[in-house]
Amino acid sequence: YQAGEKVRTGDTGIDSKPDRNYVAIGYIVKTYGLKGDVKISRLSDNPDRFANLKEIFIITKDGARQESCIKKVMWVKGGLIISLASYTTVSDAEGLVGSCIAVPEDEVPSLGKDTYYHYEIIGMDVFTTDGRCLGKIDDIISTGSNDVYVVKDDNHEYLIPAIRDVVKDVNIKCNRMVILPMEGLL
């Protein structure tokens, strides 16, 4: 799973609003201890994201969805451990390894102006200011100073820096980004 990836679900599971979209905020790496706890690889930039949650959805690799409650969140060397109300033994929790932890998209906090979640950007069509279509954003590389969008079409791959001098417009509703390529970028 990628950070903030939209998650598709199957028809199984319990949810009062089954037509919701979900956003992955963590990935279950392995079991931890003997009481059904699991170790999480965080996909959220917010370190307090799990501490503030009570209810989450577990979405398995096959798309099955189950609502669960977080009992406890623990920070240990090397990661984040959570206790889920419905899992009390190691054998209960073993089936969760490889699943993602998700929240409904409508519960994701809004961001400031000109700031976007990765799931809003990945898959977006990218055009130059003169109307040339470069392809779709396939991945986002976090470099520390700024993100880099990996844009692919059938024949090319472009690395586009996510900086104001290059990215001129992002339209989430139209799923479209417009860039002004710097010399030598393409």
Side-chain angles (χ1 to χ4, degrees):
Y1 297 99
Q2 301 208 4
E5 177 179 351
K6 273 195 181 178
V7 182
R8 304 263 186 251
T9 64
D11 296 330
T12 57
I14 301 166
D15 183 0
S16 60
K17 296 181 181 177
D19 58 340
R20 288 174 154 175
N21 287 320
Y22 296 87
V23 177
I25 61 168
Y27 176 73
I28 299 175
V29 179
K30 65 180 184 175
T31 62
Y32 182 87
L34 301 174
K35 296 182 180 179
D37 297 344
V38 291
K39 183 173 183 179
I40 304 296
S41 173
R42 289 184 310 119
L43 300 177
S44 172
D45 291 339
N46 180 353
D48 297 325
R49 184 69 168 121
F50 287 88
N52 297 328
L53 286 175
K54 296 297 177 212
E55 296 181 342
I56 49 98
F57 290 86
I58 298 168
I59 301 175
T60 62
K61 292 180 209 175
D62 64 358
R65 174 188 64 240
Q66 179 182 0
E67 189 170 2
S68 189
C69 293
I70 295 177
K71 291 190 308 187
K72 184 166 66 170
V73 176
M74 301 172 284
W75 290 95
V76 297
K77 185 176 182 179
L80 174 68
I81 307 300
I82 63 171
S83 296
L84 299 168
S86 24
Y87 300 89
T88 56
T89 68
V90 173
S91 55
D92 288 346
E94 282 175 342
L96 298 177
V97 174
S99 299
C100 76
I101 304 241
V103 294
E105 185 176 12
D106 58 4
E107 292 180 15
V108 173
S110 59
L111 298 174
K113 186 179 186 236
D114 297 330
T115 307
Y116 307 95
Y117 286 108
H118 285 192
Y119 77 86
E120 294 175 305
I121 299 292
I122 291 179
M124 189 172 276
D125 296 313
V126 178
F127 293 85
T128 60
T129 51
D130 62 4
R132 178 178 161 207
C133 180
L134 298 178
K136 292 185 178 292
I137 297 178
D138 183 64
D139 197 5
I140 300 174
I141 301 168
S142 295
T143 64
S145 59
N146 61 272
D147 286 346
V148 176
Y149 301 138
V150 179
V151 178
K152 291 184 180 179
D153 68 6
D154 292 336
N155 303 312
H156 298 92
E157 177 179 283
Y158 304 101
L159 299 176
I160 308 297
I163 57 175
R164 290 183 195 270
D165 289 345
V166 174
V167 178
K168 295 303 179 184
D169 184 53
V170 176
N171 188 322
I172 299 296
K173 290 180 183 172
C174 294
N175 198 39
R176 179 183 172 111
M177 179 182 289
V178 177
I179 68 160
L180 176 62
M182 299 182 302
E183 188 176 325
L185 185 63
L186 305 177

